[in-house]
């Protein structure tokens, strides 16, 4: 592979994505605020950079996989940020779930530095990132996407081009709005089942196999039942996604009342210390009521 790739952010998702880039044979440089998380990747052949600026030197494709708007702004545009050192003509791919407002800001900055931005947030979680089975929701030009496609393919099962820059970020927030509301309503429903005197497994089987059933309901209800909060998707990140969704929908004249109610449950869980646990733990405060 001739392309030199840099990835910024090696959390739950970025570490799996980076591993697949190495497997596909790309020359890879990694940056993470907490450098220790890069150890396994470095053993497998990645080069570790100590700043985002150092990471992107010579890279024709740069991917960001960071927590939120604050982290993304810091890594792309902060001190020793990636933008100050990007190569002319580089394609920058922001895969973090961030606000469309930030994407517009980063796209302008990228252009001012002679680079081009794609927003390409993902659906799929830890296991899909590890297996190279993500779906990328892409906004940006045909030309940039064509150049990025071999790299995106190494991490995904599907690449959907939704329109101009910002389109991927918008679609991702709509997707996660529906996920967050469903997880919160499942928490209420399961807490209710557990107090109702019904057989829990029979009740859940009816829901999973009936009209309310979905891949999310199946996966999250199993974790709730088993009290297994091993992190696939941090609870605090879902609260973040719902906040961005509410702001974005409001700009389109839509008031996300169900999201506000769901946010209440995620905020209560954060206040009770579950922010760093999997989002399935949103049920715990409801069980304790
Ligand atoms: P994560 O495990 O929490 O990783 C977050 C990454 O952001 C880490 O590399 C972290 O560095 C870095 N970071 C956080 N704050 C920072 C700051 N102020 N400055 C510099 N770096 C900072 O999150 P994740 O699960 O990988 O998710 C990454 C993105 O993908 C998020 O936007 C999330 O919403 C989205 N997403 C997640 C999933 C999922 O299932 N997990 C699925 C789809 C999309 P440290 O290691 O130093 O903390």
């Amino acid at each position: 592979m001739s392309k030199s790739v840099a990835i910024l952010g090696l959390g739950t998702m970025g570490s799996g994505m980076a591993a697949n880039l190495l497997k596909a044979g790309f020359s890879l440089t990694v940056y993470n605020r907490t450098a220790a998380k890069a150890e396994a990747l470095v053993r497998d052949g990645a080069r570790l950079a100590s700043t985002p600026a150092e990471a992107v030197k010579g890279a024709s494709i740069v991917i960001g996989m960071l927590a939120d708007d604050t982290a993304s702004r810091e890594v792309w545009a902060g001190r020793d940020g990636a933008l100050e050192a990007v190569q002319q003509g580089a394609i920058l791919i922001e895969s973090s779930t961030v606000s469309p407002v930030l994407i517009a800001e980063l796209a302008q900055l990228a252009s001012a530095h002679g680079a081009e931005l794609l927003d390409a947030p993902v659906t799929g979680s830890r296991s899909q990132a590890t297996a190279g089975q993500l779906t990328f929701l892409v906004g940006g030009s045909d030309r940039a996407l064509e150049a990025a496609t071999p790299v995106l393919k190494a991490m995904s099962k599907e690449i959907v081009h939704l329109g101009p820059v910002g389109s991927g970020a918008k679609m991702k927030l709509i997707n996660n709005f529906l996920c967050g509301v469903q997880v919160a309503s499942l928490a209420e429903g399961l807490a209710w089942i557990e107090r109702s005197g019904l057989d829990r497994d029979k009740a859940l089987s009816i829901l999973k196999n009936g009209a309310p059933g979905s891949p999310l309901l199946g996966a999250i209800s199993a974790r709730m039942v088993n009290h297994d909060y091993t992190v696939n998707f941090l609870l605090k990140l879902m609260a973040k996604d719902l906040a961005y969704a509410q702001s974005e929908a409001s700009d389109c004249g839509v008031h996300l009342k169900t999201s506000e109610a769901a946010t209440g449950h995620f905020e209560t869980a954060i206040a009770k210390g579950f922010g760093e646990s999997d989002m399935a733990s949103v049920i715990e405060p409801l069980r304790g009521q």
Side-chain angles (χ1 to χ4, degrees):
M1 298 285 161
S2 59
K3 278 196 170 67
S4 183
V5 180
I7 185 159
L8 314 171
L10 302 173
T12 304
M13 300 297 284
S15 51
M17 291 161 70
N20 281 308
L21 292 172
L22 282 177
K23 266 189 224 155
F26 289 103
S27 162
L28 185 70
T29 304
V30 297
Y31 165 78
N32 197 55
R33 179 181 61 176
T34 309
K37 289 190 191 169
E39 277 168 15
L41 291 161
V42 169
R43 272 199 303 278
D44 290 342
R47 193 173 70 86
L48 176 63
S50 57
T51 65
E54 186 192 321
V56 304
K57 278 182 193 144
S60 53
I61 305 272
V62 182
I63 302 160
M65 198 50 174
L66 302 149
D68 54 14
D69 280 16
T70 305
S72 172
R73 195 176 273 115
E74 175 71 27
V75 167
W76 288 110
R79 199 183 155 154
D80 292 325
L83 280 161
E84 63 180 58
V86 285
Q87 178 175 287
Q88 288 287 311
I91 308 294
L92 314 182
I93 305 173
E94 180 46 287
S95 282
S96 323
T97 305
V98 291
S99 67
V101 173
L102 178 67
I103 291 296
E105 194 182 310
L106 291 178
Q108 274 199 347
L109 286 170
S111 164
H113 286 84
E116 187 170 350
L117 187 87
L118 291 172
D119 52 314
V122 301
T123 63
S125 191
R126 178 199 287 274
S127 57
Q128 288 79 14
T130 305
Q133 292 289 302
L134 295 168
T135 294
F136 283 99
L137 308 175
V138 184
S141 75
D142 290 332
R143 191 200 67 83
L145 178 54
E146 198 180 312
T149 292
V151 171
L152 296 178
K153 266 196 176 154
M155 302 178 280
S156 65
K157 66 174 164 69
E158 195 179 8
I159 301 167
V160 186
H161 191 188
L162 287 146
V165 76
S167 306
K170 286 179 191 169
M171 186 63 238
K172 176 63 183 168
L173 293 183
I174 295 167
N175 185 81
N176 278 29
F177 153 58
L178 292 178
C179 290
V181 168
Q182 195 184 21
V183 169
S185 66
L186 173 63
E188 289 179 340
L190 183 53
W192 180 14
I193 288 168
E194 287 175 349
R195 288 160 187 236
S196 67
L198 287 167
D199 179 303
R200 186 186 63 191
D201 292 344
K202 279 186 189 159
L204 272 179
S205 171
I206 298 213
L207 297 179
K208 281 193 267 187
N209 297 312
S214 71
L216 188 67
L217 188 139
I220 301 291
S221 63
R223 286 185 220 149
M224 287 176 172
V225 164
N226 295 321
H227 300 252
D228 175 6
Y229 304 133
T230 313
V231 175
N232 285 272
F233 191 119
L234 282 169
L235 189 146
K236 69 177 183 185
L237 292 182
M238 183 50 87
K240 173 263 302 186
D241 290 354
L242 291 177
Y244 294 167
Q246 282 159 217
S247 168
E248 183 63 19
S250 166
D251 288 350
C252 292
V254 180
H255 183 175
L256 300 187
K257 289 188 186 169
T258 54
S259 177
E260 286 172 358
T263 297
H265 286 310
F266 287 107
E267 281 176 353
T268 301
I270 290 170
K272 302 248 178 217
F274 292 102
E276 302 290 334
S277 298
D278 189 77
M279 65 176 163
S281 63
V282 69
I283 192 175
E284 286 303 325
L286 293 167
R287 282 179 167 139
Q289 267 172 8

